[in-house]
Amino acid sequence: MAWALTPLTEEQREIQRTAREFALAEIAPHSADWDRDAYFEPSLVGKLGALGFLGMMIPEQYDGLGLDTLTYLVALEEIAILDASVAVMLSVHNSLPTQMILRWGSEKQKECFLKPMARGERLGAFALSEPEAGSDAASLRTQAVRDGDHWVLNGTKAWVSSGTKSDIIIAMARTDTPDDRRGARGISAFVITPDLPGFHVGKKEDKMGLRASPTVQLHFSDMRVPADRLLGQIGSGFIYAMQSLDNGRLGIAAQAIGIAEAALRHSAAYAAERKQFGKPIKEFQAIQFKLADIAMRVSASRALLHMSATAKDRGEHMTQFSAMAKLQASETAMWATTQAIQIFGGYGYVKEYPVERLFRDAKVTEIYEGTSEIQRIVIARELYSR
Ligand code: CAA
């Protein structure tokens, strides 16, 4: 079991156990095949929904479990230890679209969209980035124009996780006009469903890692969106997206810690078995030092993440902590999986052993939901805003 410096309650341990047992039974036996085939197993959504894992932080009045952030992250790490692709699906759904509807949605939107999402009947996605708007998210170009009781949307969204399978997508689009551009304040958020006329799923990316999580482009061509699908206030969509990414980055940190924890476990087990020069390689200090450093960095990442989660639940401003937690955890995952391959030697470089996939899965945690460079910018800006 992963070391937790934060004391967990009996309920948190129970949910952690449930996540672990589910992942061992339903995910781990298939992970290598799903990775090889870039296959997303659709039945996972219903099964995770039945456990309540798609409504973990949604209050019971909206059919969720009403759990705190730390409990959610502990469960997410357990899933990520065995399959980071399934973990990102859970992270995006729980941290971004559901939280956005909960926080800024109308009662009608909560009834129609949030409740089925919490029950695991409908999967959520988040569409902010575009082919030419990545780190500079406020430069997005998808345009929404009001036409009677509809908005008409045109544009392309990129890097949408779970995009082929999602039923409810929160998409950010410009609602300012070409002769009155308002920058970040000219962007609004919309609740999009695939049944809208003009909605098309585009190219599915052929990725290095997280291959069992479908990442796609979405095309909106004169897509007519009923006016009551606007989320919250007009012109506030970018702010909502940024505030939600403060939550989302905690989920990605938990995913990255799961990857690093898996690298540690596999490396420690292999080092105890593998013999060279007449003894198990764990007897050599060169290997001991690597294992010690991985263990220390994983524990430090987990401590920062758990501290950030409890700060969030106390209602504290946590933009900088969320950026730090994601930055520390994702760089730990990349570093730990690199060390793991070194410990495995040639066997680490082949697909027969699990650390090769961990290494490929780790990389994107330094890129999505804000690159490591963006996290450093966010942390540095916060230093001067105190
Ligand atoms: N909370 C609340 N408000 C925030 C905020 C936050 N965390 N961050 C910014 N804002 C507000 C600012 O206060 C400002 O508001 P005012 O208009 O009132 O002044 C407004 O938003 C604009 O902010 P900035 O001037 O700071 O905007 P910027 O253009 O300089 O961008 C950035 C800031 C931090 C670089 C931002 O663009 C960013 O985070 N970029 C990375 C984007 C990202 O993480 N994308 C991930 C997409 S999702 C994904 O990865 C796929 C997936 O499905 C997993």
Side-chain angles (χ1 to χ4, degrees):
M1 188 196 295
W3 299 336
L5 299 175
T6 322
L8 299 181
T9 62
E10 192 38 50
E11 186 194 28
Q12 287 168 333
R13 287 188 188 285
E14 181 58 38
I15 289 170
Q16 184 182 41
R17 252 192 312 276
T18 304
R20 184 182 315 130
E21 283 164 12
F22 176 81
L24 277 170
E26 301 282 346
I27 300 174
H30 312 289
S31 287
D33 291 348
W34 292 343
D35 171 66
R36 183 194 60 221
D37 301 339
Y39 175 73
F40 174 88
E41 173 50 53
S43 69
L44 279 176
V45 178
K47 289 176 183 173
L48 286 161
L51 292 175
F53 280 15
L54 293 176
M56 295 188 86
M57 293 184 291
I58 299 173
E60 289 175 19
Q61 81 180 102
Y62 298 115
D63 295 346
L65 294 184
L67 296 170
D68 58 89
T69 308
L70 179 58
T71 311
Y72 152 67
L73 294 172
V74 164
L76 188 56
E77 183 189 330
E78 287 298 326
I79 303 281
I81 287 171
L82 291 165
D83 195 315
S85 290
V86 179
V88 74
M89 181 253 279
L90 272 172
S91 176
V92 168
H93 176 97
N94 277 294
S95 311
L96 296 169
T98 52
Q99 292 301 307
M100 291 178 88
I101 299 174
L102 177 65
R103 191 150 174 205
W104 297 291
S106 64
E107 277 311 312
K108 185 178 167 207
Q109 289 169 343
K110 288 177 188 166
E111 193 62 38
C112 290
F113 304 116
L114 185 61
K115 281 185 167 183
M117 290 170 95
R119 293 193 297 264
E121 293 160 10
R122 302 179 90 181
L123 187 63
F126 177 77
L128 173 66
S129 306
E130 297 184 356
E132 297 189 39
S135 290
D136 184 7
S139 69
L140 67 85
R141 291 195 209 152
T142 293
Q143 185 71 52
V145 176
R146 187 70 189 247
D147 180 23
D149 55 1
H150 282 74
W151 289 92
V152 180
L153 269 64
N154 278 288
T156 295
K157 293 307 203 179
W159 312 114
V160 182
S161 299
S162 310
T164 51
K165 300 293 164 195
S166 292
D167 311 293
I168 294 163
I169 301 137
I170 303 297
M172 270 46 73
R174 306 212 72 83
T175 42
D176 56 5
T177 56
D179 46 0
D180 181 22
R181 286 293 181 217
R182 297 182 176 204
R185 290 281 175 177
I187 294 169
S188 302
F190 295 88
V191 183
I192 303 300
T193 49
D195 59 330
L196 293 173
F199 175 95
H200 306 283
V201 176
K203 179 173 75 138
K204 181 180 164 211
E205 306 295 346
D206 186 6
K207 295 178 297 179
M208 169 196 283
L210 290 195
R211 291 177 54 75
S213 159
T215 304
V216 295
Q217 289 193 350
L218 298 177
H219 302 294
F220 306 152
S221 326
D222 288 331
M223 182 173 72
R224 293 186 69 77
V225 181
D228 63 4
R229 297 283 192 94
L230 176 75
L231 187 78
Q233 299 294 316
I234 193 162
S236 294
F238 184 79
I239 314 286
Y240 297 163
M242 290 297 114
Q243 289 182 318
S244 305
L245 283 166
D246 286 347
N247 297 333
R249 288 168 184 163
L250 298 179
I252 301 307
Q255 179 203 29
I257 292 167
I259 295 170
E261 173 70 31
L264 175 61
R265 292 180 190 184
H266 287 301
S267 303
Y270 181 80
E273 257 174 40
R274 171 74 170 167
K275 290 200 176 103
Q276 289 293 278
F277 304 102
K279 52 185 176 182
I281 61 171
K282 76 175 171 64
E283 305 291 330
F284 295 102
Q285 280 194 340
I287 301 296
Q288 291 170 3
F289 288 1
K290 285 192 196 305
L291 292 171
D293 284 350
I294 300 173
M296 175 189 67
R297 292 195 193 194
V298 171
S299 291
S301 303
R302 190 178 289 121
L304 178 55
L305 176 63
H306 289 190
M307 187 204 79
S308 307
T310 48
K312 171 181 172 262
D313 285 341
R314 285 194 302 270
E316 290 174 20
H317 178 73
M318 39 73 76
T319 298
Q320 71 276 31
F321 293 123
S322 142
M324 285 181 200
K326 196 236 180 212
L327 176 62
Q328 157 115 341
S330 56
E331 293 194 346
T332 293
M334 198 64 245
W335 182 84
T337 55
T338 307
Q339 298 308 311
I341 291 188
Q342 198 66 21
I343 292 169
F344 273 72
Y347 295 109
Y349 199 63
V350 293
K351 291 185 184 293
E352 194 179 337
Y353 289 85
V355 290
E356 182 266 351
R357 171 160 60 92
L358 295 174
F359 176 86
R360 288 186 287 105
D361 285 351
K363 186 59 211 173
V364 77
T365 66
E366 294 183 316
I367 298 172
Y368 64 14
E369 298 210 13
T371 61
S372 295
E373 292 74 13
I374 290 293
Q375 307 311 324
R376 288 186 166 88
I377 288 170
V378 170
I379 296 163
R381 281 186 183 181
E382 290 286 319
L383 289 177
Y384 291 102
S385 70
R386 282 176 185 170

